[in-house]
Amino acid sequence: MAVQMASAGHLILHRLTRIVSSTPGYYRHKDIFRNLNSSRLDVQRFSTGCLNSNQDARHNSDPSLLNTKQSLLCKRRSLSALERVSSLLPQDALSPEVMQLREQIQPPEADAYMQKEQSHADALSTLSTQAQITDLDARDELPLKECDSNLQGPTLPQDTTLAYGELLIAEYRKKRDVEFRKMFQLQTGGRLQSSWGIVLHDYVAGQPAGHFQRTSRQVPLYIRRASLDDYVLNMKRGPAICYPKDASTMLMMMDVTEGDCVLESGTGSGAMSLFLSRAVGCRGSVLSIDVREDHLKKAMLNYQRWRASWRARRGEEWPDNIQYHNADLCTASSLLACKGFNAVALDLINPHLVLPMVIPHLHPGAVCAVYLANITQVIDLLEGIRYSALPLLCERIVEVPIRDWLVSPALLKNGQYCMRKASLVNEDQREADTPDKAEQENPAFGSVPYIARPHPEQFSHTAFLVKLRKFVG
């Protein structure tokens, strides 16, 4: 019977090979057939059953199981035709002679290995089910909830941890350069995705601000609260924004304090409105006007999002002191009726056209700050003031440049600190003054030279700021 089964097995394999090789796509995909055939032979070389390819790929990632498998492959030779055919038949269809032959050929280590493989596969399946992993590998989906307690420091008065609803900034720096920066809102069940791994929002909530959180790929991200400058630079925008460096200069020009009433024309994405809202406080008010309805809706959404984040962060309301209006300031005399303003901020293409309507409502001695992108607009503004004989003095026309610098300790190619070298008299003194390993890791104060140079990426031109002051008589 064994001889008949062996001959039948050879006949079946010969027919299968002839049928596959005669198909038109065999020579076009012969590499795939060859790899598939070799992989099946490798799987059947250490077991009489057929294993799932996905399970085999998972087992290969375990070094201990891989060593056991390699040792069995070295001891075990390729199966005979009888074993290959008998492995395809059910157990009760085999004769006692075949079962006895199989037990004699298969080593006892293979049974133990198969049991270990099955238990390992069951453990991986249970872990995958508990973690609810769908589209990522298990090692990329389980980030560590890590925050070193030794680095947290003592809890300060009125110190709060990160709460759901706050706007946060995640940063990753490599060699003093920012490789990744993203603003996100902390939400229940959310996740922060990046090329450096995933951070679950639930792991960030309850942690102190300004901590390092490791991603699923063990990359440390610096998590901190978003300031108003961060929010303005990263919020959703339609038109160009008034950058924080220009907004702060305009606030100093206008000398805006708490309780003032300020007029803004040219709302845009709402950047300047947020800075004005913080400056006037709860007792002040801001009247923001724009001719574009879509711009106004974008600014209102950004304003409400910032207020919601502030409420989650401080537990108190941000002042609701901005009134948005969709109108043209040249024809909006009804909006300005019976109102006086301590300051005016204009971000328009042709601001000289609205000045005759605005100046009568500006307090004497108050300032109107104008945000202009081109120097030709500045010339048109001054010519319009001269032609209309407006009671305005042009005090300043400025551009606000910012020059970033790189200042860092000098490092060698191996990553160690450079050391200041004093003039040495002889070789014996040079050998005696050679720093040891501890001194190289933590050099003494003043022993490391520093490198200072301008940053290669500088902030480009944004706008010209014109300071106009109203006079009487």
Side-chain angles (χ1 to χ4, degrees):
M1 178 179 178
V3 176
Q4 294 178 356
M5 294 183 65
S7 60
H10 283 293
L11 181 60
I12 293 174
L13 293 177
H14 178 69
R15 289 182 178 179
L16 288 175
T17 304
R18 186 175 62 182
I19 292 173
V20 172
S21 61
S22 63
T23 57
Y26 171 75
Y27 291 98
R28 189 167 61 253
H29 306 287
K30 60 182 180 179
D31 295 335
I32 299 177
F33 284 109
R34 187 181 299 111
N35 296 335
L36 180 62
N37 192 20
S38 61
S39 63
R40 291 185 60 186
L41 289 177
D42 290 340
V43 172
Q44 294 183 354
R45 197 171 290 147
F46 62 89
S47 173
T48 57
C50 183
L51 291 178
N52 191 349
S53 60
N54 294 332
Q55 293 180 357
D56 187 60
R58 287 200 303 264
H59 303 332
N60 289 339
S61 61
D62 193 341
S64 61
L65 298 181
L66 183 61
N67 296 334
T68 308
K69 177 181 175 181
Q70 291 177 351
S71 62
L72 290 177
L73 291 178
C74 296
K75 296 179 181 178
R76 189 74 175 93
R77 299 298 180 184
S78 59
L79 299 177
S80 63
L82 173 61
E83 290 178 287
R84 289 196 294 268
V85 175
S86 63
S87 62
L88 303 176
L89 299 177
Q91 297 290 334
D92 40 347
L94 300 178
S95 63
E97 292 82 0
V98 177
M99 294 295 297
Q100 184 178 3
L101 180 61
R102 176 185 292 178
E103 293 176 357
Q104 291 177 358
I105 296 177
Q106 184 173 358
E109 293 85 355
D111 293 336
Y113 173 68
M114 291 299 297
Q115 294 177 1
K116 189 175 182 180
E117 277 191 319
Q118 186 64 32
S119 61
H120 184 64
D122 295 340
L124 284 179
S125 178
T126 304
L127 179 62
S128 177
T129 303
Q130 292 177 353
Q132 297 180 356
I133 300 174
T134 56
D135 56 343
L136 296 174
D137 190 54
R139 59 182 174 85
D140 291 339
E141 181 66 16
L142 299 176
L144 296 179
K145 185 177 182 180
E146 180 174 334
C147 182
D148 195 350
S149 59
N150 296 328
L151 301 178
Q152 292 184 13
T155 303
L156 301 177
Q158 300 179 352
D159 189 13
T160 58
T161 58
L162 301 178
Y164 292 107
E166 289 193 63
L167 290 170
L168 307 178
I169 296 291
E171 292 181 341
Y172 171 62
R173 295 178 178 268
K174 184 178 181 181
K175 294 182 180 179
R176 300 182 296 272
D177 294 331
V178 178
E179 298 287 339
F180 170 76
R181 177 180 291 162
K182 185 176 181 180
M183 185 179 69
F184 65 98
Q185 190 170 16
L186 198 61
Q187 298 177 352
T188 305
R191 62 176 62 185
L192 174 64
Q193 297 184 355
S194 66
S195 301
W196 286 268
I198 297 175
V199 174
L200 300 182
H201 289 194
D202 295 337
Y203 289 174
V204 179
Q207 299 289 346
H211 75 281
F212 284 92
Q213 183 73 41
R214 292 191 177 272
T215 66
S216 57
R217 299 185 183 275
Q218 301 301 314
V219 177
L221 294 183
Y222 184 65
I223 307 295
R224 60 178 177 86
R225 289 188 173 99
S227 63
L228 185 56
D229 293 1
D230 296 324
Y231 179 69
V232 167
L233 293 175
N234 295 277
M235 68 182 184
K236 297 181 180 179
R237 65 179 72 171
I241 63 171
C242 179
Y243 286 88
K245 67 182 185 68
D246 298 324
S248 59
T249 305
M250 292 178 68
L251 290 176
M252 289 188 295
M253 285 181 174
M254 296 182 291
D255 194 21
V256 179
T257 58
E258 186 176 359
D260 287 348
C261 182
V262 182
L263 172 65
E264 178 197 16
S265 182
T267 308
S269 299
M272 191 63 193
S273 304
L274 286 168
F275 288 107
L276 289 173
S277 175
R278 182 173 65 177
V280 301
C282 299
R283 297 183 297 143
S285 62
V286 177
L287 178 60
S288 184
I289 301 175
D290 200 292
V291 296
R292 293 280 298 270
E293 185 177 0
D294 54 341
H295 292 178
L296 213 59
K297 289 182 178 180
K298 182 74 68 175
M300 295 173 64
L301 290 176
N302 290 332
Y303 178 56
Q304 297 300 330
R305 188 185 182 192
W306 174 255
R307 293 188 66 211
S309 174
W310 183 266
R311 186 187 310 112
R313 172 182 176 180
R314 293 294 186 93
E316 58 185 19
E317 292 290 339
W318 179 273
D320 189 9
N321 52 13
I322 303 180
Q323 299 178 7
Y324 294 98
H325 289 280
N326 180 22
D328 188 356
L329 194 57
C330 295
T331 59
S333 58
S334 59
L335 292 176
L336 306 181
C338 302
K339 290 185 178 180
F341 301 101
N342 302 101
V344 175
L346 300 180
D347 185 2
L348 304 173
I349 298 177
N350 299 311
H352 59 277
L353 300 179
V354 302
L355 284 178
M357 182 66 64
V358 172
I359 294 306
H361 299 274
L362 184 63
H363 291 291
V367 173
C368 173
V370 187
Y371 184 94
L372 298 172
N374 302 319
I375 195 64
T376 55
Q377 293 176 297
V378 177
I379 297 174
D380 293 341
L381 172 63
L382 298 180
E383 180 65 12
I385 294 174
R386 182 199 64 81
Y387 179 78
S388 302
L390 297 176
L392 293 174
L393 293 176
C394 181
E395 293 188 352
R396 297 185 67 186
I397 302 174
V398 299
E399 181 185 10
V400 185
I402 291 183
R403 192 178 188 186
D404 295 329
W405 279 72
L406 292 177
V407 181
S408 59
L411 300 177
L412 300 174
K413 291 184 178 181
N414 57 4
Q416 295 181 353
Y417 290 105
C418 292
M419 304 297 292
R420 297 184 186 273
K421 296 181 180 179
S423 57
L424 302 179
V425 179
N426 50 34
E427 295 295 332
D428 296 336
Q429 186 178 0
R430 180 181 289 108
E431 295 178 358
D433 293 344
T434 302
D436 55 5
K437 184 177 181 181
E439 292 180 354
Q440 292 179 356
E441 294 178 355
N442 189 15
F445 178 81
S447 61
V448 177
Y450 274 71
I451 299 175
R453 65 180 184 273
H455 198 283
E457 299 178 0
Q458 296 295 336
F459 208 87
S460 60
H461 165 78
T462 55
F464 295 99
L465 306 181
V466 181
K467 181 180 180 181
L468 305 175
R469 188 181 297 274
K470 182 180 178 179
F471 65 90
V472 179

